[in-house]
Amino acid sequence: MLGLLLVVLALAVGGCVRVVWAARGGPRWVRVVSRLTLGAAELVRHLDKDRNRNRSVSGDD
């Protein structure tokens, strides 16, 4: 379990580094990875918002 957590952490840090690099005009592959990282972050944010919304609705019962 700890290994999986470390892999996820490494991917998150690597994605952040590539987003900064892309913002400074990095190569094309860095910009692609940056867009994928930002898209994944947006998806997680959206799913978390939906989960919180569903949690508050079920708590009203």
Side-chain angles (χ1 to χ4, degrees):
M1 190 63 157
L2 182 60
L4 179 63
L5 181 61
L6 289 174
V7 168
V8 170
L9 180 62
L11 288 172
V13 169
C16 291
V17 168
R18 284 173 182 85
V19 167
V20 171
W21 189 8
R24 294 178 174 254
R28 182 178 177 169
W29 70 269
V30 172
R31 292 190 301 266
V32 170
V33 172
S34 170
R35 280 189 222 116
L36 291 173
T37 301
L38 292 173
E42 187 64 33
L43 178 65
V44 168
R45 224 176 290 138
H46 178 74
L47 293 174
D48 188 48
K49 193 183 300 183
D50 284 347
R51 187 179 63 139
N52 287 339
R53 190 176 308 138
N54 289 339
R55 189 180 294 161
S56 66
V57 169
S58 65
D60 291 340
D61 290 342

